[in-house]
Amino acid sequence: MKMPVLFRSTNRNSPVVGLKEALLRGQAPDKGLYMPEVIPRFEIGEILSLKEKPYHEVAFRVLREYCRKVISDDLLQAICREVYDYEVPLEPAGNRSFVMRLDRGPTASFKDFAARMMGRLIGHFTRQDVHPLTILTATSGDTGSAIAQAFFGVANIRIVVLFPVNEVSDRQRKQMTTLGKNVATIAIDGKFDDCQALVKRAFADPELKDLRLSSANSINIGRLLPQSCYYVYAYSRLTKDGEPIVFSVPSGNFGDLMGGVIAKRMGVPVSRFVVATNANDEVPRFFETGKYDPIVPSRVCISNAMNVGHPSNLARLVDFYGGQMDEVGAIIKAPDMERIRADFFSVSVSDEATRKTIAEAHKDAGLLLEPHGAVAWNGLQSLFKSGLLGKDALAVSIETAHPAKFPEHIKKILGIDPVLPPSLQGIENRQESFLRMEADYAGFKNFLRSEYA
Ligand SMILES: *Cc1c(COP(=O)(O)O)cnc(C)c1O
């Protein structure tokens, strides 16, 4: 009989907990990140046998390993069917290279894979609670819409999204304000930092304790595990035998990459990951020198979802390689740098190189990439050029957003206007509804108490 997987903290100073507690807490009490205590392992034959299965079935097989005795197979399978109702294309890109497009979800970003699954799991665990959970989130654009979409319609959960009135695009705003139901949106007369300050103050306010406020932050283990499924999916589709594969991952907070590392530990024979960052190169430098220096403030690049100077998942990576990093980025115990260097090929790609890659990939391989996917594609080409990888090696480069989300860059570089994916079409014409408030805590608090007490 297989035992349920338990979760421990990277800071090693909190009790191990089950899936439910790890999900609802987000962060461990010692401020560390939850990690599976044991990584379940598949035989290569089991992975290859998934070849003909639809994505939702592959996700079910992978996630079931972490949900044993906690969520029934029937329920998990139903959730997977419901949240993964879109395509996961593997586009041929010359020789044996492919681009995996993770941009067909409701907000056209790879974050949909994780956010939607986490939304359903948290919804399941809190469905019978007497008082509903209220999830507060501040957004500068994209995270808010992914979270709003993920929890939209989930029973016993209410979402409040704060956004800076003049700092989000019309399209970004409409992705949040046209949902309705359990999603409330508030335009704040202020900047993103004002929104975040209001949310933080509410979380810390003892007078709001009864409201059951919660955050759906990016370090939640519930956002990590679903990100290992597409690595298993891609591998099972693309090979007949147990040959090695390379994945190139455009990285900011390193959650996507950690999903890949988990998939490798589960049995996918990944020979190397390309860790591709933009000019925020603190991790490539760390891998090279063994010395870690966060970048403060982070550098502004066109692949803006990767403008991260201190990745929130780095402590997990260090942990996986036998080291320990605390919540502020101090290395308590050095990881095995030799193994890290063998497993990862890391590159930092400038904006100039990113633009050039968008043009070249279009001309040479017929690929339409946006800035994040172009960083990954550039990194993969660097690995081929290094001579470490034969030109006929099996390789997958990950595309994390739909090119139509970055029309100004694509127009400027390629002279074409990418067609909106179905999920974003027609949004202009939908009815919007949102509140407007000053960046004033007393007013915000009154609102929360009157609406959510
Ligand atoms: C969040 C994001 C990334 C970076 O993913 P991490 O898991 O933070 O490394 C890359 N591309 C896009 C489009 C994103 O939204």
Side-chain angles (χ1 to χ4, degrees):
M1 235 5 225
K2 291 192 183 170
M3 299 298 287
V5 172
L6 296 175
F7 299 86
R8 61 176 177 82
S9 165
T10 52
N11 280 352
R12 298 164 194 212
N13 211 5
S14 296
V16 293
V17 296
L19 180 64
K20 175 177 175 179
E21 194 172 343
L23 268 168
L24 295 183
R25 275 186 182 275
Q27 194 171 41
D30 63 6
K31 297 203 165 74
L33 308 182
Y34 282 117
M35 296 279 280
E37 238 194 338
V38 180
I39 307 270
R41 205 165 159 91
F42 290 124
E43 298 296 328
I44 190 75
E46 280 176 278
I47 295 174
L48 296 176
S49 76
L50 299 171
K51 191 175 201 58
E52 308 291 330
K53 304 279 184 233
Y55 186 84
H56 62 79
E57 182 68 24
V58 176
F60 164 65
R61 300 286 182 94
V62 174
L63 296 175
R64 179 172 62 177
E65 299 295 324
Y66 298 92
C67 295
R68 282 187 200 283
K69 302 224 170 64
V70 183
I71 295 175
S72 74
D73 281 2
D74 285 351
L75 176 64
L76 183 63
Q77 201 157 23
I79 294 175
C80 287
R81 260 207 204 103
E82 190 191 328
V83 302
Y84 299 127
D85 60 348
Y86 49 86
E87 299 287 302
V88 185
L90 285 156
E91 187 176 326
N95 291 334
R96 297 184 70 225
S97 292
F98 295 83
V99 169
M100 176 158 57
R101 295 199 180 268
L102 303 178
D103 60 356
R104 305 293 150 103
T107 69
S109 144
F110 94 102
K111 294 201 170 63
D112 289 326
F113 282 80
R116 279 188 123 187
M117 177 54 69
M118 179 175 72
R120 292 306 189 282
L121 293 178
I122 290 180
H124 169 70
F125 288 131
T126 57
R127 73 199 184 287
Q128 287 169 335
D129 294 359
V130 176
H131 200 288
L133 203 63
T134 298
I135 296 195
L136 282 190
T137 184
T139 184
S140 56
D142 273 353
T143 312
S145 58
I147 295 295
Q149 279 281 358
F151 288 94
F152 174 61
V154 176
N156 219 21
I157 291 189
R158 306 174 299 194
I159 314 296
V160 183
V161 185
L162 278 67
F163 64 90
V165 68
N166 291 322
E167 287 181 16
V168 303
S169 70
D170 280 3
R171 195 175 281 160
Q172 282 176 326
R173 190 187 66 245
K174 285 178 181 170
Q175 282 183 272
M176 308 182 270
T177 58
T178 58
L179 289 168
K181 277 197 187 171
N182 59 334
V183 177
T185 41
I186 308 176
I188 298 291
D189 283 316
K191 307 181 99 24
F192 170 64
D193 293 342
D194 297 316
C195 300
Q196 199 159 37
L198 290 173
V199 166
K200 279 198 172 153
R201 215 167 141 185
F203 282 136
D205 190 338
E207 287 177 30
L208 295 180
K209 235 179 151 43
D210 298 341
L211 265 56
R212 287 202 75 200
L213 301 178
S214 176
S215 77
N217 61 27
S218 61
I219 47 136
N220 197 299
I221 190 76
R223 281 181 68 172
L224 208 60
L225 299 175
Q227 289 174 176
S228 59
C229 303
Y230 41 77
Y231 293 90
V232 178
Y233 175 81
Y235 184 73
S236 69
R237 295 264 136 164
L238 296 176
T239 181
K240 284 194 199 57
D241 51 35
E243 70 182 307
I245 187 168
V246 166
F247 284 101
S248 183
V249 189
S251 295
N253 271 316
F254 284 73
D256 198 355
L257 184 78
M258 286 313 301
V261 173
I262 291 173
K264 178 177 160 110
R265 300 273 164 114
M266 290 185 82
V268 177
V270 182
S271 59
R272 242 196 203 90
F273 290 100
V274 179
V275 177
T277 71
N278 57 26
N280 292 283
D281 63 349
E282 66 280 358
V283 174
R285 276 189 293 111
F286 170 50
F287 286 176
E288 197 182 307
T289 63
K291 231 179 122 264
Y292 178 63
D293 293 308
I295 295 177
V296 190
S298 59
R299 296 173 184 145
V300 177
C301 302
I302 58 171
S303 47
N304 57 10
M306 304 187 336
N307 294 342
V308 180
H310 174 41
S312 55
N313 278 292
L314 193 56
R316 283 193 168 113
L317 193 135
V318 169
D319 185 286
F320 259 132
Y321 285 82
Q324 190 181 343
M325 174 182 269
D326 73 9
E327 64 279 4
V328 294
I331 296 175
I332 311 297
K333 180 174 173 235
D336 185 341
M337 294 308 296
E338 298 265 311
R339 262 177 73 217
I340 285 183
R341 288 182 194 122
D343 285 358
F344 303 101
F345 177 83
S346 63
V347 271
S348 157
V349 181
S350 69
D351 276 356
E352 194 194 339
T354 304
R355 290 195 183 92
K356 209 167 145 225
T357 301
I358 291 175
E360 283 176 4
H362 191 254
K363 188 159 81 49
D364 303 341
L367 289 171
L368 187 56
L369 299 176
E370 53 70 58
H372 305 81
V375 167
W377 183 251
N378 178 296
L380 180 60
Q381 303 320 307
S382 296
L383 176 60
F384 277 119
K385 276 182 214 138
S386 75
L388 289 166
L389 191 66
K391 77 175 188 354
D392 290 324
L394 182 60
V396 172
S397 188
I398 294 182
E399 175 54 286
T400 44
H402 195 282
K405 291 185 95 173
F406 301 87
E408 57 299 340
H409 295 305
I410 307 292
K411 249 184 251 171
K412 217 162 159 188
I413 300 164
L414 299 177
I416 54 177
D417 196 1
V419 182
L420 278 178
S423 59
L424 300 185
Q425 274 170 23
I427 204 161
E428 276 73 17
N429 309 322
R430 278 181 227 151
Q431 185 69 37
E432 281 192 83
S433 143
F434 60 92
L435 298 162
R436 202 160 164 171
M437 281 186 203
E438 308 272 307
D440 162 53
Y441 183 67
F444 178 57
K445 180 170 172 175
N446 270 337
F447 163 80
L448 288 177
R449 281 172 125 174
S450 63
E451 296 291 318
Y452 296 97

